[in-house]
Each structure stands twice: as C-alpha cells, then as structure tokens.
Amino acid sequence: MSELFDAVDALVASRAPLPPAEERKRLRVAHGLTLDDVAGALKVRRATVSAWESVKKPTEPRGPEREAYARLLKQLAQLYPAPASAPVTAAPAPTPAQAPSAGPASAAAVTPAPEHTQPPAPAAVTQPPAPAAATAAPPAAPRPARSASVPPRAAKKTAPAATPAGSTDPRFENGPLAVVDVRDGQVLAYCTDGLVLDVPARSIPALVDWTLREARLGAPKLTGPGKDADPLIVLTEAALERYGLPVTLTDEERHAGRIPEGHKVVKQLTRAQWKLTKRGFGPWARIYRPATGSERACVQVCIPSWNALDTRHWGDAGRLPPAELARVLGVYATRVMTPRGSTAVTGLELMTALHPPTRASEPDAAGRRHSEHNPGSLGKDPVDCAPCEAPDGHPLLKDLPRFHVRGPEEKLLEEAYDWARPMTDAECTLRHLVGIDVNMAFAAGANGLVVGLGAPTHVKNPQFDPKLPGSWLVDLSHVDLSHVKLGKDKWAQLDADLLPSPFTPKGERPTGPAWYATPTVAYAAELGYEVHPSEAYVRHDNGRYLDAWYHRLRDAYLATMADLGVHADMAPADFLTAMDGHKDRDPDLAIVVSAIKATVKGGLGKLRERPRGEGWRPGEPWRALSRPTWRPDIRAAVISRTRINLHRKIVKHAAFTGQYPVAVLSDCVVYAADGTSPLDFLPYREGTPLPGGFKLGVNPGLVKHEGTQTVLWGEEVRERFDAPDLNLARYIKDGTVTDTDNGE
C-alpha cells in the first residue's frame, strides 16, 4: 500500500502549482540567490532555471525538479510576500524638474549612488538589493530609450535602474564600467544599471583619480587567487573634445596604434605621476601607478571613435547613445569579463583570470604567506613549443635554409575545414542546398579537452596514448573511410569519395607521415585502424585548462540567447522559429552575442599570435612569445578536436541516411535536400535526433540553420568561377557572391 501512496504523492507533485515567471524571479532575487545557486540545488543546468524564469516564453519544470522548485518558491513566498499593489516594473517618466535617467528605473532593487550623487528615496521599494555571486550571469539590463535627454545636474537626481547581479560589492556598486559623455556642457558618466553620475573631473588625470576614488566602478575577481577587474571608462567623441583628445586618429597615429608621447594629455598624465603601458595611449589604454601591496591603482580607457570596438565583432556599438553603449558593454562585462582590449585580447585574459599563474601559499612558521605556482595554470613563465608546433619564422627554426618550405612531416597543421566537392547527378536533381552551422563550435571543442600545461618531452617510437596531449608524427594514409568502425563490433560501408578526410584541413587524404595533435590520431584509432607514431612531443604535465573558460563563455552565450527568446531544450521546430529574426528582438543584445562568439575564436587565435610589425625579422623572437599563454599546441588541440567532432557527425549522418556533405567550411556544413529546412534532411524520429549525429539547438556543439539556396544557384556560381569544387558554404548564408571573389 505504501508504494501506491508514494506513486500518488509523486503524481500530485508532478503537477505542483508554480507562480508566474516574474514572481519566480522576484522571489529568487529577494533571497539573494543566483541562477547558479538554484541550478546547483536542483541538479539542473543554469540555462534551465533561466528558462523557467523567462518572461517571454517560460518553460515548465517536470518530475522531481518541479516538486523541489515548487517547494523552494513556496518557502521564499512566505519570507517575501508579494506587495499589496501591483509590482512596479519601471518608474514613471520624471518631470523636467526630476531629470530622467538613461534608462527605466526599477523600483524592485535600488542601489544608492555615491554620496555626491545621492538620489531621492524611491516611492516604493519592494525588496532590498540581493547579493549575488560574482560569476552569475544576470538578466539583461533594461533597455534605455535611444532619445533619452539628460539635462544639466541630472546625475544628482537620477534613481538607478535594477542593479545587475554580481555588482553588490560596495566597492563596485555602480558596476564594472561607465560611458563618459558631455551633455549641455556637463560631463556625465552613464553606468551599466541606468545610473548617471556627475563627473567633476576637468582633465584626464583628474578623471582617473575620480574613477578610483569616487566612482565605485570595477568588478570582483572571478576566482580565489585572481585579481579584481579594473574599472573601465569609455570616452565618447564629446568627452574626447572636452578633455583635449582627438576625435579620430590620423593615419600615422592609427598605424602606430596610439597618440604621440608628446601629446599634451600624455604629458598631463606624466606630471600627475600616472604611467601608460607599452601600447601607450591608444584605442585601449591602461593608466596606472605601481601597485602598493594588494592595492591596485589602474583604470582602463576605451575610445570607440578610435576603432576600439571592431565592427566585425561589436557591430554598430561604437555609434550607440551612451546609455545603450553602457548597457551593451555592461552585459558583456558582467557575463564574460570587463573588456581588456579587443575580443581576442579579452578571450585570452579570461583564461588567465580563471587560472591565475600564482596563488598565496599556506602560512610559514612565521605566519607569512608567499606567492607559489597555482596548480592547473600555465604558470608565470613562458615555455618553448616543439619545433613542429612552431610557426614559420620562429626562433627555433632560424637554422633552416632560407626559403625552405616545411612539409607535413615537419610542421603541425591543425586547421579548420575548407573542403568542397562537385555535386553528384542525384544531388543535382534535388532543389535546394541547406547549410547548418555548429553553435560555438570551437568552444565546444575546448570543453573537457586535456591540454598540456608545461613544456614538451621528445620521445622516439612512442606507444600512442589518446589521453596524453601532444604532437605525433604518424602515417595515417592507410585509413580508409569506405570502411569505418562506428561502435563496438559495428562497421559501416561509406562512399569515401564523397567525404572529406578528417586528417587535413582541405579534406585531402594524407600521402605519408605527418604531424597531428592527439585528438586527430585518437580518431584514426576510433575508426578502427592501428596507429604507430615514429616520434612525438608529449606533455606529461597536463589538465583541463580550458574547462572554466568554456563554461563561462557558454553560460554567457546561453543567457544572452535566452534574453533574445532562444532557449535550451526547445523542440527542433520551435528552435528554428525562435532563431528566425532573433537579432531583431533586441539589436543591442545581438551585439553581445556576436562579441561572445568573437571572444572564443579570438582568444584561441591569440594562443598562436604572430608578429605584428614592430620591425620583426624571421628567426627573431616577437613580443607574444614572452607570454606563458603563447601556446600553439593548445590552439592546435582545440582545432583538431573541433574538426574531428564535426567529421564524426558527418560520418554518422552518412552511415544512417546515405547523405553526404557538398561543402564544409570551418563549422558550416552544406547538404543537398528537397526542402528548405534542416528538418528536411536531418533524421529526427519523433523529435529524437540521430545519436551522435547533428542535433538542432542553441547549446554549443548543436547546430542551427545557416542558410538555404537553390541547387541552380550553386551550379551557376561554380560555373561563373569555372570551379566545380568551389566552396559554397562560404556563400550559403545569403547567397551573395561578388565577381571579384575567387573563392579563396
């Protein structure tokens, strides 16, 4: 009988009533809980909890999670009853005497401004500001009106909007950054939460002092041994004019990447005993004084009109009004980290921020702590790469003959796919070419990947170990894709002529020994073929260095996509519908998504940064080599794993459906199909995808619709360039091909 009662209780619990999404979020925030706190307690993903709280299209928990979630909300409701009146979601528009803020002010959580800009008490406060973990990804900040006009002295009367999670540290209560602008003769600082501060500084040195002493800007460290993020000040064109800086750089200054050292503003900083880093006063400047003990005195400066925000990654962010720009950069800063330069620089800095090279030791006999190596980090000193991993011109290769071209047996070449083939007669009878794109493909490739942390060890005739990161010289020309192993005692017969080789970026079958990263060699063994390396550079000191980096960027991406109405665990058709036009729902947040993606690719690219002018000559070291994060082997391993992950899905799809790709470019794959949708060729069965194959969804590693064109379009483009194997994946998104494009 007790079993029956338990079954009845479980049935009732599975339908436990839940409050609306807005109330779920209000209760969580009121108790100071982050999305990660709730997800950890309920043993679900953070994105799942975010979807439960989505105002636009909330999902509903099921099974035991629903019972536990309902229990949590019920207890919180007892502690934080709903206000008697309807919740206030935005403050009413202020009268001219109450100058408006840069964005709608929320009565739900009001953070007091610094004393010199203390706003009047709000009319209704439903709950106090909630403490939150520094790494929590907050809901998107309220979107300010584009035409907001801030009259003089407005900053002293503006109530801030809802405070983003992670900014409750009193040292940084006004957020990680501010956009400084001039309105009606008054200098104003637009913060990320809608607060506008009055800036009394009349010079750049005074602005730096004000930022550090009064502005309460910055962000807490991301991990225990790390450092707090320095405050970021963004200068608009009006602010540049006010402080005596050029609105745009001359060609000479743009080439140098900075204004001259003799510029009056640089001299002002020198007289005030402020220093600049080696990159000087450029689009991204760092102004500092040497640290005293644990106290840091450093302010970062971003100048959009000097092209600090690359339009390829930040869209038109540099032309947004100050309040909107503060919102865009603020969401990115809170979910990823405060920008430290380009998205590539920030991606690399994020790796270090999550795995600082040193930490404080345990107290010694005298009770003093010392700096020691932080396990799992790359350390504070650079290590040499293996000769095969070195790019051309590296000092390790200075003894090679001039104009020597290294072949695959001398050089590790792990790059993304750029492969295409002519269409078969059967494919030409179909009507469409449909492209699918892997979400955050290189981030997914980094997830769980074991990479080397220290220097390589050279070995001869090693036994291959798929768990040991390194570079291996091995002949994989015997691997035949027409007969591959798909599982235990399960083999598949495929048409190898219609598949790219997994071992080369161009998809060509290798012809002899070549250098490969561990994931590539491991895949050859997975396909059922023996591998016998003749030489290797392996790294016995290793670990999953990129895991925290991946999780941080994944959570930022999923949270921002959820704000745009695209949630995890959506049904395939619903996902495709949600993706259609998602960027138009909030163009500012679409910019953040673009920047997050660029942070992934750029950060990995920085691991193998090449010389950037500076009078460099082949055989000489360049600046990037002095960084412990200059690690071409890690970049190669991530790209190798990403390419192999894609090939594995292609093989599973071909074995199950008999369909083969027409073109592959990096993380985009093009198939011929009778319909215009990915659902017209992806083998879903009652909503369930092919195990190990392509799956539609927003999560990293899943795929989305990249674009659809007609087969006639594809044939016409290839005929125009007289190239039957022109890579159509390059143009599948919108079909635009210029006459000057040669396909390279």
Side-chain angles (χ1 to χ4, degrees):
M1 183 65 70
S2 61
E3 294 180 358
L4 294 177
F5 287 168
D6 291 341
V8 170
D9 291 343
L11 186 62
V12 173
S14 69
R15 296 293 185 272
L18 297 175
E22 297 98 324
E23 180 67 2
R24 302 173 195 176
K25 180 178 176 181
R26 184 191 74 81
L27 293 171
R28 174 179 61 79
V29 173
H31 200 59
L33 298 175
T34 67
L35 292 171
D36 291 313
D37 293 335
V38 178
L42 301 182
K43 294 182 173 53
V44 297
R45 297 181 54 189
R46 182 188 179 284
T48 301
V49 181
S50 177
W52 293 346
E53 294 182 358
S54 173
V55 176
K56 292 183 179 179
K57 193 173 181 180
T59 60
E60 295 296 317
R62 302 173 183 172
E65 291 83 8
R66 185 183 184 93
E67 178 184 5
Y69 190 46
R71 181 183 180 89
L72 169 67
L73 296 176
K74 182 179 180 180
Q75 294 183 16
L76 293 178
Q78 294 173 353
L79 295 173
Y80 308 97
S85 59
V88 179
T89 57
T95 63
Q98 297 176 316
S101 71
S106 170
V110 178
T111 302
E115 293 178 4
H116 66 288
T117 58
Q118 181 67 40
V125 179
T126 59
Q127 73 235 19
T135 59
R143 187 176 184 180
R146 287 184 178 267
S147 59
S149 175
V150 182
R153 319 317 301 173
K156 295 188 177 182
K157 295 185 178 181
T158 299
T163 304
S167 64
T168 54
D169 188 318
R171 299 172 300 158
F172 314 126
E173 64 178 298
N174 292 330
L177 57 90
V179 178
V180 176
D181 190 33
V182 179
R183 290 287 184 93
D184 298 327
Q186 182 185 7
V187 182
L188 304 172
Y190 293 79
C191 301
T192 58
D193 59 1
L195 176 68
V196 183
L197 303 177
D198 184 6
V199 182
R202 297 187 178 183
S203 67
I204 290 294
L207 177 63
V208 174
D209 279 321
W210 172 83
T211 301
L212 292 172
R213 297 176 186 274
E214 301 181 54
R216 301 182 190 176
L217 297 173
K221 57 188 178 182
L222 297 180
T223 188
K227 299 176 181 177
D228 295 332
D230 298 320
L232 173 64
I233 293 296
V234 184
L235 300 178
T236 66
E237 294 184 9
L240 293 173
E241 292 179 341
R242 168 61 65 91
Y243 290 122
L245 289 165
V247 172
T248 58
L249 298 178
T250 64
D251 291 342
E252 183 178 354
E253 292 168 342
R254 191 178 301 110
H255 179 73
R258 70 193 75 182
I259 58 176
E261 293 184 4
H263 192 280
K264 64 178 182 179
V265 170
V266 178
K267 291 182 177 179
Q268 289 173 359
L269 290 167
T270 302
R271 286 195 296 269
Q273 298 183 329
W274 288 105
K275 295 180 179 293
L276 292 164
T277 58
K278 289 183 179 180
R279 62 184 176 185
F281 204 119
W284 289 94
R286 191 172 299 178
I287 305 171
Y288 72 99
R289 287 185 180 133
T292 304
S294 60
E295 294 296 322
R296 290 169 57 83
C298 181
V299 172
Q300 295 185 94
V301 179
C302 168
I303 305 178
S305 66
W306 293 5
N307 298 318
L309 301 175
D310 192 325
T311 55
R312 294 173 300 175
H313 311 140
W314 289 101
D316 64 351
R319 295 186 291 273
L320 292 175
E324 291 195 45
L325 178 56
R327 177 187 182 237
V328 167
L329 293 176
V331 172
Y332 178 90
T334 310
R335 292 179 174 174
V336 179
M337 71 179 297
T338 304
R340 301 287 298 273
S342 66
T343 51
V345 168
T346 304
L348 195 69
E349 292 280 353
L350 180 61
M351 296 180 194
T352 303
L354 294 168
H355 285 289
T358 60
R359 67 177 184 182
S361 68
E362 294 296 324
D364 59 17
R368 291 189 295 267
R369 295 179 183 269
H370 307 277
S371 177
E372 66 178 15
H373 173 70
N374 183 26
S377 75
L378 297 181
K380 62 180 181 179
D381 298 317
V383 298
D384 283 336
C385 62
C388 62
E389 297 162 353
D392 293 338
H394 191 280
L396 288 175
L397 310 175
K398 63 182 180 181
D399 294 331
L400 287 178
R402 193 179 182 187
F403 304 122
H404 175 74
V405 178
R406 293 186 295 161
E409 71 283 357
E410 298 176 276
K411 180 179 180 179
L412 177 69
L413 186 62
E414 294 284 10
E415 299 294 343
Y417 267 131
D418 185 355
W419 170 88
R421 62 170 175 80
M423 283 186 279
T424 65
D425 292 342
E427 289 167 340
C428 288
T429 64
L430 302 176
R431 294 180 294 173
H432 297 98
L433 296 172
V434 183
I436 52 177
D437 180 80
V438 181
N439 297 314
M440 300 272 282
F442 294 99
N447 181 29
L449 178 65
V450 178
V451 299
L453 300 178
T457 299
H458 185 215
V459 291
K460 288 283 191 178
N461 299 314
Q463 181 73 29
F464 175 68
D465 183 353
K467 297 181 180 179
L468 187 61
S471 300
W472 310 77
L473 181 61
V474 58
D475 188 350
L476 299 180
S477 60
H478 63 290
V479 177
D480 184 2
L481 293 181
S482 63
H483 188 62
V484 297
K485 190 175 183 180
L486 295 183
K488 186 177 181 180
D489 300 326
K490 184 178 180 181
W491 292 75
Q493 299 292 331
L494 303 173
D495 189 338
D497 294 335
L498 302 181
L499 286 170
S501 167
F503 309 126
T504 62
K506 290 292 185 180
E508 301 165 345
R509 185 169 178 170
T511 57
W515 285 98
Y516 303 101
T518 297
T520 302
V521 185
Y523 185 57
E526 178 186 323
L527 292 176
Y529 293 86
E530 293 186 357
V531 292
H532 300 288
S534 59
E535 190 178 350
Y537 288 90
V538 297
R539 289 171 169 83
H540 297 287
D541 179 14
N542 55 64
R544 293 167 60 158
Y545 174 72
L546 295 173
D547 270 13
W549 183 80
Y550 162 77
H551 289 133
R552 181 81 179 175
L553 290 163
R554 176 203 64 189
D555 290 350
Y557 173 72
L558 291 179
T560 311
M561 289 298 290
D563 290 332
L564 291 170
V566 185
H567 303 281
D569 303 323
M570 298 181 88
D574 293 339
F575 167 72
L576 292 175
T577 301
M579 284 294 295
D580 188 18
H582 72 281
K583 295 180 180 179
D584 299 330
R585 293 175 198 138
D586 192 329
D588 292 353
L589 289 184
I591 293 174
V592 177
V593 171
S594 173
I596 292 170
K597 292 179 179 179
T599 303
V600 173
K601 290 188 177 181
L604 294 172
K606 277 283 184 180
L607 293 170
R608 190 178 177 264
E609 183 177 0
R610 300 303 309 278
R612 306 179 66 181
E614 306 169 359
W616 174 80
R617 294 182 179 179
E620 296 178 350
W622 58 92
R623 185 183 302 177
L625 298 187
S626 63
R627 298 192 321 249
T629 49
W630 192 84
R631 293 296 301 272
D633 58 297
I634 296 180
R635 172 188 177 273
V638 173
I639 294 177
S640 164
R641 191 165 187 244
T642 302
R643 193 182 67 246
I644 293 306
N645 284 346
L646 184 60
H647 194 274
R648 186 182 290 111
K649 290 180 172 63
I650 290 172
V651 166
K652 288 285 182 68
H653 185 86
F656 188 81
T657 68
Q659 298 170 336
Y660 294 83
V662 172
V664 184
L665 182 67
S666 187
D667 47 10
C668 176
V669 187
V670 176
Y671 284 91
D674 259 332
T676 60
S677 167
L679 288 174
D680 291 316
F681 69 91
L682 292 183
Y684 274 83
R685 183 175 295 172
E686 297 181 357
T688 301
L690 170 68
F694 296 107
K695 179 182 178 181
L696 290 165
V698 71
N699 291 286
L702 306 189
V703 300
K704 63 180 182 296
H705 184 202
E706 179 69 1
T708 296
Q709 305 298 328
T710 65
V711 168
L712 291 177
W713 165 87
E715 289 297 284
E716 187 275 329
V717 169
R718 286 178 164 178
E719 184 177 347
R720 185 196 312 174
F721 291 108
D722 192 21
D725 56 354
L726 183 73
N727 197 328
L728 298 175
R730 183 173 282 107
Y731 318 106
I732 196 70
K733 188 167 188 175
D734 59 11
T736 301
V737 185
T738 62
D739 290 334
T740 57
D741 194 335
N742 62 3
E744 296 297 325

